[in-house]
Amino acid sequence: MGLYVGEKKRLEAVERADFVELGHSMGLSRRAAETRIDMLRDRVVAAFEAQAADSADSEIARAIACQSKKRIEKLAVA
């Protein structure tokens, strides 16, 4: 199974504008797409942080959460 966002397949290459354009192509306004991207980004970051706090392997979980948070926050750049 593969996932494309626009013409990009590598997650590292996907940017916020790609997700906005994808949402727009599905009938959302650009503003609505941006709002949903922000909401999703915030929820994913919060989930990683909560999992890290509850994990028995908290050092590893915190490192994963931190790394994932940095990747996700890249999407915050307009």
Side-chain angles (χ1 to χ4, degrees):
M1 183 170 94
L3 170 71
Y4 285 87
V5 178
E7 298 294 318
K8 297 178 182 171
K9 187 169 182 172
R10 293 182 46 92
L11 182 60
E12 295 84 14
V14 177
E15 297 174 353
R16 179 188 178 89
D18 298 313
F19 280 112
V20 171
E21 192 57 38
L22 178 64
H24 185 66
S25 73
M26 297 173 143
L28 292 173
S29 70
R30 283 182 167 67
R31 184 176 178 146
E34 289 174 353
T35 299
R36 284 171 175 79
I37 291 165
D38 292 341
M39 189 171 55
L40 179 60
R41 181 200 63 223
D42 294 345
R43 288 180 180 184
V44 169
V45 169
F48 274 119
E49 290 173 344
Q51 194 277 332
D54 292 343
S55 176
D57 299 321
S58 60
E59 189 64 33
I60 294 169
R62 273 195 289 276
I64 292 169
C66 182
Q67 186 179 42
S68 298
K69 183 178 178 180
K70 287 178 185 176
R71 288 180 180 164
I72 292 166
E73 285 178 340
K74 179 179 104 172
L75 297 176
V77 178

